Amino acid sequence: MIRKEELNLVTEWDKTFQKSEKVEHSKVTFVNRYGITLAADMYVPKNTTGKLPAIAVSGPFGAVKEQCSGLYAQNMAERGFLTIAFDPSFTGESGGQPRYMASPDINTEDFMAAVDFLFLNDKADPERIGIIGICGWGGMAINAAALDTRIKATVASTMYDMTRVNANGYFDSENSEEARFEKKKAMCAQRIEDIRNGEYKLGGGVVDPLPENAPFFVKDYYDYYKTNRGYHARSLNSNGGWNVIGCESFMNQPILKYSNEIRSAVLIVHGEKAHSCYFGKDAYANMVKDSKYADNKELLIIPEASHTDLYDGGDKDYIPFDKLESFFKENLQ
């Protein structure tokens, strides 16, 4: 029998964005196939009738639904979609022990469990379901689209391929057998230390205080996660971060292996100045290479935008919500 965990859900509005008067908001829960209960915010447009097209949103990697995934979900609800923004397993208000772990398999399943929830929701049209993944969850969303034939449209915004960055380092600067061996060796040693200590050591969130010589992308993250712009008390990146061994299995599990077999529509959105833009460009290239289903795939590069500008719009409303609306309306007919 599928059982839900009892979760302690915050009832007051505690988001990093203003509450919209155009949508109804409520907390919901659902269970993934590993028995982990996930918490989500559901946004339903007011004054609508009939079954609605529906979208599940998650990300960034190390964020919570009170940050930008909720912003995306609320904005898309204002445009006529039933949406949920969920916390992945082991994070935020969702269940799962131990905390602050990540898994290519379980986190892909989180998206599929969100689709289960929408598929069975009385207000949602099960034939018109889409997903949005932000940052590291962009890669998870593409992976879910490769597995889940119920997903009719996918947006990956400012995406990371978490398996690639863990195995190869940033900008593929550690892409060698020797470098990978040393990282695996260090994590194996950390496992023993954690067992001896009876707790998992945290790797640390976004660096604070910010060094003067920090790379641009570190400053970009700091500006979002460590300031009033995007700080949240439950956000891993805003605070203690993932466990040191939290992403260990990512090093040997590429998640985008069969992305060129995705038949449903996929839109990849990335900022021109984002340090992570190479993930999006390469994911798109691999998705359409030797694919019979390339016609409904698209890469959209936003001029001047950085990585976190697509978290909350930055200072120039960089998130292309009009494009997202037209993309989903076209593909969730």
Side-chain angles (χ1 to χ4, degrees):
M1 179 179 293
I2 299 174
R3 299 181 184 274
K4 285 187 178 180
E5 300 172 66
E6 289 293 330
L7 303 179
N8 295 317
L9 302 179
V10 173
T11 56
E12 67 269 15
W13 186 263
D14 64 344
K15 322 300 183 195
T16 60
F17 50 93
Q18 293 295 313
K19 186 176 183 179
S20 171
E21 297 302 320
K22 298 178 182 179
V23 304
E24 299 286 352
H25 165 262
S26 61
K27 289 288 184 76
V28 298
T29 60
F30 52 93
V31 182
N32 69 18
R33 80 174 194 267
Y34 292 99
I36 300 171
T37 300
L38 304 182
D41 286 296
M42 184 163 71
Y43 301 89
V44 183
K46 292 181 178 179
N47 305 316
T48 55
T49 59
K51 291 184 177 291
L52 300 172
I55 302 171
V57 191
S58 196
F61 196 80
V64 288
K65 64 188 182 304
E66 289 75 21
Q67 295 170 304
C68 59
S69 61
L71 174 66
Y72 273 70
Q74 180 175 261
N75 197 296
M76 297 308 294
E78 290 179 333
R79 296 163 184 263
F81 301 88
L82 183 153
T83 66
I84 58 171
F86 67 89
D87 285 328
S89 296
F90 314 113
T91 66
E93 292 186 303
S94 288
Q97 293 291 336
R99 305 304 287 167
Y100 314 135
M101 291 293 185
S103 161
D105 184 18
I106 295 175
N107 296 143
T108 299
E109 163 61 19
D110 289 341
F111 260 120
M112 298 179 73
V115 173
D116 293 339
F117 172 83
L118 294 174
F119 195 93
L120 297 172
N121 189 281
D122 291 340
K123 297 179 181 179
D125 184 343
E127 297 303 318
R128 294 188 290 166
I129 296 176
I131 60 175
I132 298 173
I134 306 160
C135 186
W137 300 101
M140 300 296 180
I142 293 173
N143 199 40
L147 283 168
D148 197 328
T149 59
R150 301 167 299 174
I151 297 171
K152 300 302 191 295
T154 299
V155 168
S157 181
T158 196
M159 69 160 284
Y160 263 52
D161 177 345
M162 293 305 302
T163 52
R164 179 177 177 181
V165 74
N166 275 277
N168 297 351
Y170 279 103
F171 316 112
D172 298 326
S173 61
E174 300 169 351
N175 185 17
S176 69
E177 184 273 336
E178 293 82 3
R180 277 185 287 276
F181 179 82
E182 291 303 321
K183 285 192 285 187
K184 289 183 282 190
K185 181 179 177 182
M187 280 190 281
C188 287
Q190 185 64 51
R191 294 174 67 98
I192 299 302
E193 181 180 327
D194 290 345
I195 293 170
R196 284 175 173 160
N197 293 336
E199 61 181 6
Y200 293 95
K201 182 179 179 181
L202 294 176
V206 173
V207 62
D208 188 18
L210 182 69
E212 290 185 6
N213 62 346
F216 168 75
F217 74 94
V218 175
K219 295 178 181 178
D220 195 32
Y221 280 133
Y222 181 93
D223 187 50
Y224 181 79
Y225 285 108
K226 290 293 188 178
T227 70
N228 290 334
R229 175 183 168 194
Y231 177 84
H232 197 279
R234 288 192 296 276
S235 170
L236 283 71
N237 291 341
S238 289
N239 298 284
W242 297 91
N243 294 327
V244 173
I245 64 166
C247 299
E248 186 173 18
S249 65
F250 282 80
M251 293 189 64
N252 201 41
Q253 297 185 39
I255 56 175
L256 304 180
K257 175 69 173 177
Y258 298 109
S259 64
N260 68 341
E261 297 180 6
I262 298 173
R263 299 187 182 190
S264 58
V266 179
L267 169 64
I268 296 177
V269 183
H270 234 116
E272 177 189 26
K273 292 188 175 181
H275 70 281
S276 54
C277 194
Y278 70 101
F279 289 123
K281 290 178 177 178
D282 289 355
Y284 174 77
N286 292 331
M287 190 183 306
V288 299
K289 182 180 179 181
D290 301 324
S291 172
K292 296 184 291 183
Y293 314 103
D295 290 347
N296 59 358
K297 309 300 186 292
E298 185 177 353
L299 173 65
L300 176 63
I301 302 297
I302 307 299
E304 300 297 314
S306 72
H307 183 82
T308 65
D309 283 335
L310 294 185
Y311 283 8
D312 62 354
D315 60 356
K316 295 184 179 179
D317 294 327
Y318 282 110
I319 302 173
F321 281 120
D322 289 344
K323 172 63 177 179
L324 269 59
E325 178 183 358
S326 63
F327 170 78
F328 280 115
K329 286 185 174 178
E330 177 183 352
N331 292 289
L332 300 182
Q333 297 181 11

